[in-house]
Amino acid sequence: MTKRLEGKVAAITGGNQGIGLGIAERFIQEGAAVSICYLSDKTGTEKTVEGLRRGGGKAVAIQADVSKLADGQRFISETVSQLGELDILVNNAGVEKRASFWDVTEADFDFVLNVNLKGLFFMTQAFVRYAMQTKRAGKIINISSVHEELPFPHFTSYCASKGALKMITRNLSIELAPLGLTINNIAPGAIETPINKNLLNDPVKLKSLLENIPLKRLGNPRDVASIAAFLAADESSYVTGTTFVVDGGLTWNYEEQ
Ligand SMILES: NC(=O)c1ccc[n+]([C@@H]2O[C@H](COP(=O)([O-])OP(=O)(O)OC[C@H]3O[C@@H](n4cnc5c(N)ncnc54)[C@H](O)[C@@H]3O)[C@@H](O)[C@H]2O)c1
């Protein structure tokens, strides 16, 4: 197999589990060196990174809370100092908090928006500033959600953050094109990761969700990682400002009896 990311360096936020880890594993297989940031669980993340290095790949882990601007900037600068350069940013870290609209607290709202939107915004800014200073082309990939389009009642803060990503990506595709930077979103549907642990442990809810998915299965991180590999590689050089939906047909599932 030709390695599509040979010689590239990728920084992946929240790359220690779930979709982010799936992307890190795939990027390593494709020949990239990978830096992942993690919020806590240093010991667990170190084991994960050892796993990533097992096949001879290059991987490092850096503690950073993406909701803090200084941490985001440090994640970019430490990636460069440890891996020598940076070509690809994957904004994957994300959180959600269930609450009916009338019950949402300021703390709930800030928790979700500070990670999914503010953190992503300024992480991307730090990456763009690095690319400008070093005159490098680069790729930005945001892990958005089908909920950048599709309503998700009781998760309005989450939908607000993912809807905003759609416009950030469209805007920046224009603003960053002269710098040789592309930006795209991946919008997963229901993927089997820790974020969905309540759903995965509830057979009734799970059955009703599966009935709504035309391909009749949940997605897995590898399904998302294969699109990320395409968007990170040179072969997608003419693709920018758009969203790739990976949802087993969930979003447009409508049928009349
Ligand atoms: N799993 C799904 O069904 C699904 C569907 C659509 C979109 N997504 C999106 O995919 C992305 C990854 O989610 P996942 O399903 O792998 O969930 P997950 O909970 O397994 O992973 C989320 C990751 O984000 C990290 N993170 C959270 N807050 C952070 C912070 N302040 N600083 C640094 N890292 C932080 C976590 O440590 C974790 O590594 C998220 O943006 C999520 O919204 C997931």
Side-chain angles (χ1 to χ4, degrees):
M1 187 177 85
T2 317
K3 292 193 171 182
R4 295 191 287 179
L5 302 179
E6 197 78 67
K8 304 280 187 197
V9 177
I12 304 170
T13 66
N16 56 331
Q17 64 177 50
I19 292 173
L21 178 57
I23 293 173
E25 288 167 346
R26 180 64 192 263
F27 279 17
I28 295 248
Q29 282 166 17
E30 296 284 358
V34 162
S35 150
I36 60 174
C37 82
Y38 66 97
L39 191 54
S40 52
D41 189 18
K42 188 170 191 283
T43 314
T45 305
E46 274 165 4
K47 279 205 186 104
T48 304
V49 168
E50 274 168 32
L52 288 172
R53 290 187 190 130
R54 209 157 285 145
K58 210 169 178 187
V60 298
I62 295 162
Q63 192 286 328
D65 178 346
V66 301
S67 70
K68 296 184 179 146
L69 271 55
D71 277 24
Q73 288 158 354
R74 185 172 50 75
F75 178 50
I76 298 294
S77 62
E78 279 190 19
T79 297
V80 173
S81 61
Q82 292 194 38
L83 296 176
E85 57 179 56
L86 181 56
D87 307 284
I88 301 151
L89 170 65
V90 182
N91 285 308
N92 162 77
V95 291
E96 61 182 32
K97 177 105 194 181
R98 189 185 201 284
S100 296
F101 179 69
W102 44 91
D103 289 330
V104 175
T105 63
E106 186 180 2
D108 291 344
F109 180 90
D110 287 348
F111 170 67
V112 174
L113 273 291
N114 284 350
V115 175
N116 297 9
L117 182 54
K118 186 174 126 188
L120 177 144
F121 188 104
F122 287 102
M123 182 72 75
T124 305
Q125 186 187 64
F127 176 76
V128 169
R129 286 179 176 167
Y130 161 78
M132 289 173 82
Q133 279 157 13
T134 53
K135 298 196 170 31
R136 300 179 75 82
K139 306 264 198 178
I140 301 159
I141 301 164
N142 300 317
I143 307 304
S144 169
S145 167
V146 287
H147 300 300
E148 69 167 51
E149 291 289 355
L150 195 64
F152 192 11
H154 311 289
F155 286 86
T156 300
S157 308
Y158 183 75
C159 291
S161 70
K162 297 300 186 179
L165 276 192
K166 187 171 68 179
M167 285 314 298
I168 287 183
T169 292
R170 288 183 186 173
N171 242 43
L172 294 189
S173 66
I174 302 166
E175 209 171 326
L176 303 183
L179 304 172
L181 298 169
T182 63
I183 177 165
N184 292 287
N185 288 358
I186 301 177
I191 311 296
E192 213 170 331
T193 72
I195 211 172
N196 288 323
K197 64 176 180 300
N198 293 340
L199 174 77
L200 295 168
N201 291 328
D202 184 330
V204 177
K205 280 193 188 152
L206 187 58
K207 183 170 177 288
S208 112
L209 171 64
L210 288 173
E211 279 163 8
N212 269 327
I213 302 174
L215 291 180
K216 297 293 174 228
R217 69 167 175 91
L218 296 179
N220 59 58
R222 289 185 305 282
D223 294 316
V224 182
S226 57
I227 301 290
F230 166 70
L231 290 173
D234 290 340
E235 66 201 284
S236 64
S237 62
Y238 199 56
V239 179
T240 194
T242 197
T243 295
F244 290 75
V245 177
V246 185
D247 71 346
L250 170 72
T251 307
W252 299 116
N253 187 14
Y254 175 76
E255 208 177 332
E256 286 193 22
Q257 300 303 327

